[in-house]
């Protein structure tokens, strides 16, 4: 079955990522959306549908999230995304104050309808060697 869909819920969509699990597992799509990039409405949105075209209601993460990356692991689907922790006056520098997070994704069925299940967020922290390094846990984007 070939399905074509266009996702444009707001004026701005960016950094789309798609993950196709094993046969029968369905497909996840994630991107960030909002009124504009580096705007308080910016957030990650996740979609899922199966091979027959049945779709779950989308799930939105909180404001100030973005740059999602979907990964298929031995444990299942995971999403890595960034979150703006400090909104400095110069918006172009917001990424320098991003933290990086990971969550498990799954789909559960209830009364014949699919629902996207999102696991607890776990922060990914890099501890770089040397004296000239960013603040612990800040300054990284998963898609980069």
């Amino acid at each position: 079955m070939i399905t074509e869909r266009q996702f444009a819920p707001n004026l701005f969509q960016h950094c789309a990522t798609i993950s196709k699990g094993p046969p029968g597992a369905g497909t996840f799509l994630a991107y960030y959306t909002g009124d504009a990039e580096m705007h308080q409405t910016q957030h990650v949105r996740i979609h899922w549908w199966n091979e027959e075209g049945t779709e779950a209601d989308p799930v939105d993460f909180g404001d100030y999230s973005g740059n999602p990356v979907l990964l298929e692991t031995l444990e299942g689907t995971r999403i890595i995304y960034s979150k703006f922790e400090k909104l400095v006056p110069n918006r172009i520098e917001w990424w320098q104050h991003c933290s990086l997070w990971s969550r498990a994704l799954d789909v559960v069925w209830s009364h014949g309808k699919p629902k996207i299940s999102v696991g607890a967020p776990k922060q990914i922290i890099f501890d770089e060697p040397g004296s000239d390094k960013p603040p612990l846990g800040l300054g990284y984007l998963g898609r980069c």
Side-chain angles (χ1 to χ4, degrees):
M1 172 183 208
I2 297 174
T3 303
E4 181 179 328
R5 292 193 167 99
Q6 180 175 339
F7 296 92
N10 291 303
L11 298 174
F12 172 79
Q13 283 71 228
H14 189 54
C15 193
T17 177
I18 298 171
S19 181
K20 176 83 170 141
T27 301
F28 280 101
L29 165 70
Y31 52 90
Y32 69 95
T33 185
D35 292 342
E37 187 170 9
M38 294 181 286
H39 187 268
Q40 64 263 22
T41 60
Q42 176 183 320
H43 64 280
V44 170
R45 176 168 285 164
I46 303 169
H47 295 265
W48 177 90
W49 61 93
N50 67 11
E51 293 167 351
E52 288 78 41
T54 302
E55 189 172 346
D57 290 335
V59 171
D60 290 343
F61 286 1
D63 291 344
Y64 304 116
S65 59
N67 302 298
V69 177
L70 290 168
L71 303 166
E72 286 299 324
T73 71
L74 294 175
E75 292 81 32
T77 305
R78 295 202 67 85
I79 187 168
I80 295 173
Y81 61 99
S82 56
K83 181 179 169 193
F84 295 126
E85 298 290 351
K86 183 178 178 185
L87 307 181
V88 296
N90 187 0
R91 287 186 184 192
I92 197 68
E93 295 175 359
W94 283 12
W95 73 270
Q96 296 172 356
H97 303 276
C98 278
S99 57
L100 204 55
W101 296 83
S102 173
R103 289 177 152 184
L105 297 179
D106 202 355
V107 172
V108 294
W109 290 78
S110 178
H111 305 291
K113 295 186 80 173
K115 181 179 179 184
I116 298 171
S117 171
V118 180
K122 294 180 181 179
Q123 188 173 7
I124 300 170
I125 297 178
F126 296 93
D127 188 11
E128 294 184 11
S131 59
D132 187 25
K133 56 186 179 180
L136 189 62
L138 297 181
Y140 296 94
L141 300 176
R143 68 184 171 106
C144 295

